[in-house]
């Protein structure tokens, strides 16, 4: 289909969506009808009619000369990468999981191993077309009359409006990525090295293209450096029997195709596939490769969450209940050793993912200090509750520690802040002004109600 035809389809989809939105009665909850989700804020199924956004899942154009792409908001990064790689290009930041949508990563944040240089996915956006809460279709850029929405949209989680089309920057790629896994026995040494590489963009005089880290224990932690390459002596495959995160412990150097590098974490949902036995060699051989995907595991978790299968079995066995601890937080790089010491002592979950980042601009609803090196710490699993503790025990501990260390917490998962505390961390003054301007009738949920109260 030609670019012109795609743009015509897009305009028809926009008009259909506007009519659909206007037809929803005032006071009726508005939600998106989506096939997939990467959120971990569990809610009961809603009886409200879903807003059909199935017409917004395409890459409209890729301009190889300008190094930009026009992309609809419900397009998955899997489809986006498939459209850009043939041009020798990729988005500035590609979140780790294939079914994350571009619009979701912009309104709800995302991160990956280019974030030490390029910040978060929304920092690569040049313009966005948004269906606002009051039913308008507006185009927001850094310097037009809707610049306040452009800067306030990230971390608003669909409570100001929905992105329909985005123009984004692209970066050139090369065919392969050479990896170096550097082991550290001390968190302070790792944090120092990670901060220096983030600041300089180099390691041993060579420009670094990708940077993240993995913590297996207090005495075994790694920084992984990625370097683009035009050729490779071999390429490893972690989409079948191999498990990528185990290779970090087993190899000091590795080579992947650029596409396999981008999706290295998706096959095993980082390491969470182990909960389903998929890392057992026998199970892994029997489990079809096409189902070794994060969205498959996410659906299995959702099914268990709905019917409480594992929890019922554990109660029958007389075991203490487990708490979901599924979070991503950011702390300044120099405070990382303190957070890891706390986490090892109070939570005790491993592995842990580390991803450094620097914000290139100020985004008020997620107010990181511009240019300051932070480290995203990701941990996803369950922890047995201590006797007599409330179900949110570990998550509340984490929230307090992150605040103490001048950090921030992503809102894709459970949160327990009080209302006043929440708005101190996420710029309530700016949010209320944007809400009044773009959703004065409050047709969309309030950010606190959506992310903390789980409505």
């Amino acid at each position: 289909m030609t670019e012109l035809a795609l743009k015509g389809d897009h305009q028809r989809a926009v008009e259909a969506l506007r009519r659909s939105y206007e037809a929803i009665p005032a006071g009726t909850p508005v939600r998106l009808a989506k096939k997939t989700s990467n959120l971990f804020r569990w809610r009961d199924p809603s009886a409200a009619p879903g807003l059909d956004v199935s017409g917004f899942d395409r890459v409209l154009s890729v301009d190889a000369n300008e190094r930009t792409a026009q992309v609809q908001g419900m397009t998955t990064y899997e489809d986006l990468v498939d459209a850009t790689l043939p041009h020798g290009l990729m988005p500035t930041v590609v979140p780790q999981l294939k079914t994350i949508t571009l619009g979701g990563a912009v309104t709800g944040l995302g991160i990956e191993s280019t974030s030490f240089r390029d910040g978060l996915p929304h920092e690569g956006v040049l313009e966005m077309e948004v269906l606002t809460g009051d039913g308008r279709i507006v185009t927001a850029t850094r310097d037009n009359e809707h610049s306040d929405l452009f800067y306030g949209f990230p971390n608003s989680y669909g409570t100001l409006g929905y992105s329909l089309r985005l123009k984004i920057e692209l970066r050139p790629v090369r065919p392969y990525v050479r990896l170096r896994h550097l082991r550290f026995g001390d968190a302070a040494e790792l944090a120092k090295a990670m901060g220096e590489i983030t600041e300089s963009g180099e390691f041993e005089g060579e420009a670094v293209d990708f940077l993240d880290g993995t913590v297996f224990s207090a005495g075994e932690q790694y920084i992984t450096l990625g370097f683009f390459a035009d050729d490779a002596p071999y390429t490893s495959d972690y989409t079948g029997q191999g498990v990528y995160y185990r290779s970090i412990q087993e190899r000091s150097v590795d080579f992947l195709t650029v596409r396999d590098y981008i999706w290295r974490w998706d096959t095993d949902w980082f390491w969470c596939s182990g909960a389903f036995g998929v890392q057992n060699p026998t199970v892994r051989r029997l489990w079809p490769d096409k189902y070794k995907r994060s969205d498959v595991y996410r659906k299995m978790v959702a099914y268990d969450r709905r019917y409480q299968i594992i929890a019922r079995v554990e109660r029958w066995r007389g075991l203490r209940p487990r708490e979901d601890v599924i979070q991503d937080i950011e702390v300044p790089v120099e405070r990382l050793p303190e957070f890891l010491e706390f986490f090892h002592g109070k939570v005790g979950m491993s592995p842990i993912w580390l991803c450094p980042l620097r914000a290139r601009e100020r985004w008020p609803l997620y107010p990181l200090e511009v240019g300051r090196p932070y480290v995203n710490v990701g941990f996803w699993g369950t922890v047995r509750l201590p006797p007599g503790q409330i179900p949110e025990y570990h998550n509340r501990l984490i929230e307090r520690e992150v605040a103490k260390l001048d950090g921030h917490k992503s809102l894709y998962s459970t949160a327990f802040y009080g209302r006043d505390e929440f708005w101190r961390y996420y710029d309530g003054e700016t949010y209320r002004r944007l809400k009044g301007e773009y959703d004065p009738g409050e047709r969309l949920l309030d950010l606190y109600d959506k992310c903390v109260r789980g409505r």
Side-chain angles (χ1 to χ4, degrees), residues 32 39 41 43 103-110 122 128 130-133 148-163 166 363-367 409-412 422-423 426-427 430-432 434-435 438-439 444-452:
L32 297 183
L39 297 179
R41 286 185 264 106
R43 296 179 292 184
V106 171
T107 194
L109 305 188
H122 56 265
M128 63 178 80
V130 179
L131 169 65
T132 61
D148 57 347
L149 179 62
F150 182 91
Y151 282 102
F153 197 75
N155 210 43
S156 65
Y157 280 89
T159 64
L160 299 175
Y162 303 113
S163 59
L166 303 102
W363 306 89
L365 302 193
Y366 205 72
K409 175 177 144 175
S410 296
L411 298 175
Y412 72 87
F422 178 87
W423 289 123
Y426 301 102
D427 197 344
T430 295
Y431 181 79
R432 285 187 288 272
L434 290 168
K435 193 73 167 171
Y438 293 99
D439 187 23
L444 304 175
L445 279 175
D446 169 85
L447 184 62
Y448 179 83
D449 289 337
K450 185 170 187 177
C451 294
V452 180

Coordinates of all heavy atoms in Angstrom, one line a residue, residues 32 39 41 43 103-110 122 128 130-133 148-163 166 363-367 409-412 422-423 426-427 430-432 434-435 438-439 444-452:
L32 N -9.4 2.0 26.2 CA -9.0 1.5 24.9 C -9.3 0.1 24.8 O -9.1 -0.7 25.7 CB -7.5 1.8 24.7 CG -7.1 3.3 24.6 CD1 -5.6 3.3 24.3 CD2 -7.9 4.1 23.6
L39 N 1.0 -3.6 31.1 CA 0.8 -3.0 32.4 C 0.7 -4.1 33.5 O 0.2 -5.2 33.2 CB -0.4 -2.1 32.5 CG -0.4 -0.9 31.6 CD1 -1.8 -0.1 31.7 CD2 0.7 0.1 31.9
R41 N -0.9 -3.2 36.5 CA -1.9 -2.7 37.5 C -3.2 -3.5 37.2 O -3.9 -3.3 36.2 CB -2.1 -1.2 37.2 CG -1.0 -0.4 37.8 CD -1.3 1.1 37.6 NE -0.7 1.7 36.4 CZ -1.4 2.0 35.4 NH1 -2.7 1.8 35.3 NH2 -0.8 2.5 34.3
R43 N -6.8 -4.9 37.2 CA -8.2 -4.4 37.5 C -9.2 -5.4 37.0 O -8.9 -6.3 36.2 CB -8.4 -3.1 36.7 CG -7.5 -1.9 37.1 CD -7.8 -0.7 36.2 NE -7.5 -0.9 34.8 CZ -7.5 0.0 33.9 NH1 -8.0 1.2 34.1 NH2 -7.2 -0.3 32.6
G103 N 2.8 4.5 21.2 CA 2.0 5.4 22.0 C 2.1 5.1 23.5 O 2.1 6.0 24.3
G104 N 2.1 3.8 23.8 CA 2.2 3.4 25.2 C 3.5 3.7 25.8 O 3.6 4.2 27.0
A105 N 4.6 3.6 25.0 CA 5.9 4.0 25.5 C 6.1 5.5 25.7 O 6.8 5.9 26.6 CB 7.0 3.5 24.6
V106 N 5.3 6.3 25.0 CA 5.4 7.7 25.1 C 4.6 8.2 26.2 O 5.0 9.0 27.1 CB 5.0 8.4 23.8 CG1 4.9 9.9 23.9 CG2 6.1 8.1 22.7
T107 N 3.4 7.7 26.4 CA 2.5 8.2 27.4 C 2.8 7.5 28.8 O 2.5 8.1 29.8 CB 1.0 8.0 27.1 OG1 0.2 8.7 28.0 CG2 0.6 6.5 27.1
G108 N 3.4 6.3 28.7 CA 3.7 5.6 29.9 C 5.2 5.3 30.2 O 5.5 4.6 31.1
L109 N 6.0 5.9 29.4 CA 7.5 5.8 29.6 C 8.0 4.4 29.1 O 7.3 3.4 29.1 CB 8.0 6.0 31.0 CG 7.6 7.3 31.6 CD1 8.3 7.5 33.0 CD2 7.8 8.5 30.7
G110 N 9.3 4.4 28.7 CA 9.9 3.1 28.3 C 11.4 3.4 28.4 O 11.8 4.6 28.7
H122 N 10.1 9.0 24.5 CA 9.4 10.2 24.2 C 10.4 11.3 23.8 O 10.0 12.3 23.1 CB 8.5 10.7 25.3 CG 9.2 10.9 26.6 ND1 9.3 9.9 27.6 CD2 9.9 11.9 27.1 CE1 9.9 10.3 28.6 NE2 10.3 11.6 28.4
M128 N 3.4 14.9 17.8 CA 2.4 13.9 18.1 C 1.0 14.4 17.8 O 0.7 15.6 18.2 CB 2.5 13.4 19.5 CG 2.3 14.4 20.6 SD 2.4 13.7 22.3 CE 4.2 13.6 22.5
V130 N -2.8 14.0 18.9 CA -3.5 13.5 20.1 C -5.0 13.7 20.0 O -5.4 14.8 19.7 CB -2.9 14.2 21.3 CG1 -3.5 13.6 22.6 CG2 -1.4 13.9 21.4
L131 N -5.8 12.7 20.4 CA -7.2 12.8 20.7 C -7.2 13.2 22.2 O -6.9 12.4 23.0 CB -7.9 11.5 20.5 CG -9.4 11.5 21.0 CD1 -10.3 12.5 20.3 CD2 -9.9 10.1 20.9
T132 N -7.6 14.5 22.5 CA -7.6 15.0 23.8 C -8.9 14.6 24.6 O -9.8 14.1 24.0 CB -7.4 16.5 23.9 OG1 -8.6 17.1 23.2 CG2 -6.2 16.9 23.2
G133 N -8.8 14.7 25.9 CA -10.0 14.3 26.7 C -11.3 15.1 26.3 O -12.4 14.6 26.5
D148 N 2.8 22.6 25.6 CA 2.6 22.2 27.0 C 2.1 20.8 27.1 O 2.5 20.0 27.9 CB 1.6 23.1 27.8 CG 0.2 23.3 27.1 OD1 0.1 22.8 25.9 OD2 -0.7 23.8 27.7
L149 N 1.2 20.4 26.1 CA 0.8 19.0 26.0 C 1.9 18.1 25.6 O 2.1 17.0 26.1 CB -0.4 18.9 25.1 CG -1.0 17.5 24.9 CD1 -1.5 16.9 26.2 CD2 -2.1 17.5 23.8
F150 N 2.7 18.5 24.6 CA 3.9 17.8 24.2 C 4.8 17.4 25.3 O 5.2 16.2 25.5 CB 4.7 18.6 23.1 CG 5.8 17.8 22.5 CD1 5.7 17.1 21.4 CD2 7.1 17.9 23.1 CE1 6.7 16.4 20.8 CE2 8.2 17.2 22.6 CZ 8.0 16.5 21.4
Y151 N 5.1 18.3 26.2 CA 6.0 18.0 27.3 C 5.3 17.4 28.5 O 5.9 16.7 29.3 CB 6.7 19.3 27.8 CG 7.8 19.8 26.9 CD1 7.6 20.8 26.0 CD2 9.0 19.1 26.9 CE1 8.7 21.2 25.1 CE2 10.1 19.5 26.1 CZ 9.9 20.5 25.2 OH 10.9 20.9 24.4
G152 N 4.0 17.6 28.6 CA 3.2 17.0 29.7 C 2.6 15.6 29.4 O 2.2 14.9 30.3
F153 N 2.7 15.2 28.1 CA 2.1 13.9 27.8 C 2.8 12.7 28.3 O 2.2 11.8 28.8 CB 2.0 13.8 26.2 CG 1.1 12.8 25.7 CD1 -0.3 13.0 25.7 CD2 1.6 11.6 25.2 CE1 -1.2 12.0 25.2 CE2 0.7 10.6 24.7 CZ -0.7 10.8 24.7
P154 N 4.2 12.7 28.3 CA 4.9 11.5 28.9 C 4.5 11.3 30.4 O 4.6 12.3 31.2 CB 6.3 11.9 28.7 CG 6.3 12.8 27.5 CD 5.1 13.6 27.6
N155 N 4.2 10.1 30.8 CA 3.8 9.7 32.1 C 2.4 10.1 32.5 O 2.0 10.1 33.6 CB 4.8 10.2 33.2 CG 4.9 9.3 34.4 OD1 4.9 8.1 34.2 ND2 4.8 9.8 35.6
S156 N 1.6 10.5 31.5 CA 0.2 10.8 31.8 C -0.7 9.6 31.6 O -1.9 9.6 32.0 CB -0.3 11.9 30.8 OG -0.3 11.5 29.5
Y157 N -0.2 8.5 31.0 CA -0.9 7.2 31.0 C -2.3 7.3 30.4 O -3.3 6.7 30.9 CB -0.9 6.5 32.3 CG 0.4 5.8 32.6 CD1 1.4 6.5 33.3 CD2 0.6 4.5 32.3 CE1 2.6 5.9 33.6 CE2 1.8 3.9 32.6 CZ 2.8 4.6 33.2 OH 4.0 4.0 33.5
G158 N -2.5 8.1 29.3 CA -3.8 8.2 28.7 C -4.8 9.0 29.5 O -6.0 8.9 29.1
T159 N -4.4 9.7 30.4 CA -5.4 10.5 31.2 C -5.6 11.9 30.7 O -6.5 12.7 31.2 CB -5.0 10.6 32.7 OG1 -3.8 11.3 32.8 CG2 -4.9 9.2 33.3
L160 N -4.8 12.3 29.7 CA -4.9 13.6 29.0 C -5.4 13.4 27.6 O -6.0 14.3 27.0 CB -3.6 14.4 29.0 CG -3.0 14.8 30.3 CD1 -1.6 15.4 30.1 CD2 -3.9 15.7 31.1
G161 N -5.2 12.2 27.0 CA -5.6 11.9 25.7 C -4.8 10.7 25.2 O -4.0 10.1 25.9
Y162 N -5.1 10.4 23.9 CA -4.5 9.2 23.3 C -3.7 9.7 22.0 O -4.2 10.4 21.2 CB -5.5 8.2 22.9 CG -6.4 7.7 24.1 CD1 -7.7 8.0 24.1 CD2 -5.8 7.0 25.1 CE1 -8.5 7.6 25.2 CE2 -6.6 6.6 26.2 CZ -7.9 6.9 26.2 OH -8.7 6.5 27.3
S163 N -2.5 9.2 21.9 CA -1.7 9.5 20.7 C -2.2 8.7 19.5 O -2.3 7.5 19.6 CB -0.2 9.3 21.0 OG 0.0 7.9 21.3
L166 N 2.6 9.7 15.5 CA 3.8 10.3 16.1 C 4.8 10.3 15.0 O 5.0 9.4 14.2 CB 4.3 9.5 17.3 CG 3.3 9.4 18.4 CD1 2.8 7.9 18.4 CD2 4.0 9.6 19.8
W363 N 10.7 16.9 31.5 CA 9.4 16.4 31.3 C 8.7 16.4 32.6 O 8.9 15.6 33.5 CB 9.5 15.0 30.7 CG 10.4 14.9 29.5 CD1 11.7 14.7 29.5 CD2 10.0 15.2 28.1 NE1 12.2 14.8 28.2 CE2 11.1 15.1 27.3 CE3 8.7 15.5 27.5 CZ2 11.1 15.3 25.9 CZ3 8.7 15.7 26.1 CH2 9.9 15.6 25.4
P364 N 7.8 17.4 32.8 CA 7.3 17.7 34.2 C 6.6 16.5 35.0 O 6.8 16.5 36.2 CB 6.3 18.8 33.9 CG 6.0 18.8 32.5 CD 7.2 18.2 31.8
L365 N 5.9 15.7 34.3 CA 5.2 14.6 35.1 C 6.1 13.5 35.5 O 5.7 12.6 36.2 CB 4.0 14.0 34.3 CG 3.0 15.0 33.8 CD1 1.7 14.3 33.4 CD2 2.6 16.0 34.9
Y366 N 7.4 13.5 35.0 CA 8.4 12.5 35.4 C 9.7 13.3 35.6 O 10.6 13.2 34.7 CB 8.6 11.4 34.5 CG 9.1 10.1 35.1 CD1 8.3 9.4 36.0 CD2 10.4 9.7 34.9 CE1 8.8 8.2 36.6 CE2 10.9 8.5 35.5 CZ 10.1 7.8 36.3 OH 10.6 6.7 36.9
P367 N 9.8 14.2 36.6 CA 10.8 15.2 36.7 C 12.2 14.7 37.0 O 12.7 14.9 38.2 CB 10.3 16.2 37.7 CG 9.4 15.3 38.6 CD 8.9 14.2 37.8
K409 N 9.7 6.4 40.6 CA 9.2 5.0 40.3 C 8.2 5.1 39.1 O 7.4 6.0 39.0 CB 8.5 4.5 41.5 CG 7.8 3.2 41.3 CD 7.1 2.8 42.7 CE 5.8 2.1 42.4 NZ 5.3 1.5 43.7
S410 N 8.4 4.1 38.2 CA 7.4 4.0 37.1 C 6.1 3.6 37.6 O 5.9 3.0 38.6 CB 7.9 3.0 36.0 OG 9.2 3.5 35.5
L411 N 5.0 4.0 36.8 CA 3.6 3.8 37.2 C 2.9 2.7 36.5 O 1.7 2.6 36.5 CB 2.9 5.1 37.1 CG 3.4 6.2 38.0 CD1 2.7 7.5 37.7 CD2 3.4 5.9 39.5
Y412 N 3.7 1.8 35.7 CA 3.0 0.8 35.0 C 2.5 -0.3 35.9 O 1.7 -1.2 35.5 CB 3.9 0.2 33.9 CG 5.1 -0.7 34.4 CD1 4.9 -2.0 34.7 CD2 6.3 -0.1 34.7 CE1 5.9 -2.8 35.2 CE2 7.3 -0.9 35.2 CZ 7.1 -2.2 35.4 OH 8.2 -3.0 36.0
F422 N 1.9 11.5 46.2 CA 1.9 11.2 44.8 C 2.1 12.5 43.9 O 3.0 12.6 43.1 CB 0.7 10.5 44.3 CG 0.6 10.2 42.9 CD1 1.1 9.0 42.4 CD2 0.0 11.1 42.0 CE1 1.0 8.7 41.0 CE2 -0.1 10.8 40.6 CZ 0.4 9.6 40.1
W423 N 1.4 13.5 44.2 CA 1.5 14.8 43.4 C 2.7 15.5 43.7 O 3.2 16.3 42.8 CB 0.2 15.6 43.6 CG -1.0 15.0 43.0 CD1 -2.2 14.7 43.6 CD2 -1.1 14.6 41.6 NE1 -3.1 14.1 42.7 CE2 -2.4 14.1 41.4 CE3 -0.3 14.7 40.5 CZ2 -2.9 13.6 40.2 CZ3 -0.8 14.2 39.3 CH2 -2.1 13.7 39.1
Y426 N 5.1 13.7 41.2 CA 4.7 13.7 39.8 C 4.1 15.1 39.3 O 3.3 15.1 38.4 CB 3.8 12.5 39.4 CG 4.5 11.2 39.8 CD1 4.1 10.5 40.9 CD2 5.4 10.7 38.9 CE1 4.8 9.3 41.2 CE2 6.1 9.5 39.2 CZ 5.7 8.8 40.4 OH 6.3 7.6 40.7
D427 N 4.5 16.2 39.9 CA 4.1 17.5 39.5 C 2.6 17.7 39.4 O 2.1 18.0 38.3 CB 4.9 17.9 38.3 CG 4.9 19.4 38.0 OD1 4.1 20.1 38.7 OD2 5.7 19.9 37.2
T430 N 1.4 21.1 37.5 CA 1.4 21.0 36.0 C 0.3 20.1 35.5 O -0.4 20.4 34.6 CB 2.7 20.5 35.5 OG1 3.7 21.5 35.9 CG2 2.7 20.4 34.0
Y431 N 0.1 19.0 36.2 CA -0.9 18.0 35.7 C -2.3 18.6 35.8 O -3.1 18.5 34.9 CB -0.9 16.7 36.5 CG -1.9 15.7 36.1 CD1 -1.7 15.0 35.0 CD2 -3.1 15.6 36.8 CE1 -2.6 14.0 34.5 CE2 -4.1 14.7 36.3 CZ -3.8 13.9 35.2 OH -4.8 13.0 34.7
R432 N -2.6 19.3 36.9 CA -3.9 19.9 37.1 C -4.2 21.0 36.0 O -5.3 21.1 35.5 CB -4.1 20.5 38.5 CG -4.3 19.4 39.5 CD -4.7 20.0 40.9 NE -3.5 20.6 41.5 CZ -2.6 20.0 42.3 NH1 -2.8 18.7 42.5 NH2 -1.6 20.6 42.8
L434 N -2.8 21.0 32.9 CA -3.0 20.3 31.7 C -4.4 19.7 31.6 O -5.1 19.7 30.6 CB -1.9 19.3 31.5 CG -0.5 19.8 31.2 CD1 0.5 18.7 31.3 CD2 -0.5 20.5 29.8
K435 N -4.8 19.1 32.8 CA -6.1 18.5 32.8 C -7.2 19.5 32.6 O -8.2 19.2 31.8 CB -6.3 17.8 34.2 CG -7.5 16.8 34.3 CD -7.2 15.5 33.6 CE -8.2 14.5 33.9 NZ -8.1 13.3 33.1
Y438 N -7.0 20.3 28.6 CA -7.3 19.3 27.6 C -8.4 18.3 28.0 O -8.8 17.6 27.1 CB -6.0 18.6 27.3 CG -5.0 19.5 26.6 CD1 -3.9 20.1 27.3 CD2 -5.1 19.8 25.2 CE1 -3.1 21.0 26.7 CE2 -4.2 20.7 24.6 CZ -3.2 21.3 25.3 OH -2.3 22.1 24.7
D439 N -8.8 18.3 29.2 CA -9.9 17.4 29.6 C -10.7 18.1 30.7 O -10.8 17.5 31.8 CB -9.3 16.0 30.1 CG -10.4 15.0 30.4 OD1 -11.5 15.1 29.8 OD2 -10.1 14.1 31.2
L444 N -11.7 11.5 31.0 CA -10.7 10.5 31.2 C -10.4 10.4 32.7 O -10.5 11.4 33.4 CB -9.4 10.8 30.4 CG -9.7 10.9 28.9 CD1 -8.4 11.4 28.2 CD2 -10.2 9.7 28.3
L445 N -9.8 9.3 33.2 CA -9.5 9.2 34.6 C -8.4 10.2 35.0 O -7.6 10.6 34.2 CB -9.0 7.7 34.8 CG -10.0 6.7 35.0 CD1 -9.3 5.3 35.2 CD2 -10.9 6.9 36.2
D446 N -8.4 10.5 36.2 CA -7.3 11.2 36.9 C -6.1 10.3 37.0 O -6.3 9.1 37.2 CB -7.8 11.7 38.2 CG -6.7 12.3 39.1 OD1 -6.4 13.4 39.0 OD2 -6.1 11.5 39.9
L447 N -4.9 10.8 36.9 CA -3.7 10.0 36.9 C -3.5 9.3 38.2 O -3.2 8.1 38.2 CB -2.5 10.9 36.7 CG -1.1 10.2 36.6 CD1 -1.1 9.2 35.4 CD2 0.0 11.2 36.4
Y448 N -3.8 9.9 39.3 CA -3.7 9.2 40.6 C -4.7 8.1 40.7 O -4.4 7.0 41.1 CB -3.9 10.2 41.8 CG -3.9 9.6 43.1 CD1 -2.7 9.3 43.7 CD2 -5.0 9.2 43.8 CE1 -2.6 8.7 45.0 CE2 -5.0 8.5 45.0 CZ -3.7 8.3 45.6 OH -3.7 7.7 46.9
D449 N -6.0 8.4 40.3 CA -7.0 7.3 40.4 C -6.7 6.2 39.5 O -6.9 5.0 39.9 CB -8.4 7.9 40.0 CG -8.9 8.9 41.0 OD1 -8.5 8.8 42.2 OD2 -9.8 9.7 40.6
K450 N -6.1 6.4 38.4 CA -5.8 5.3 37.4 C -4.6 4.5 37.9 O -4.6 3.3 37.9 CB -5.5 5.9 36.0 CG -5.2 4.8 35.0 CD -5.2 5.4 33.6 CE -5.1 4.3 32.5 NZ -5.2 4.8 31.2
C451 N -3.5 5.2 38.4 CA -2.3 4.5 38.7 C -2.1 4.0 40.1 O -1.4 3.0 40.4 CB -1.1 5.4 38.3 SG -1.0 5.7 36.6
V452 N -2.8 4.6 41.0 CA -2.7 4.2 42.4 C -4.0 3.5 42.9 O -3.9 2.4 43.5 CB -2.4 5.4 43.3 CG1 -2.3 5.0 44.8 CG2 -1.1 6.1 42.9

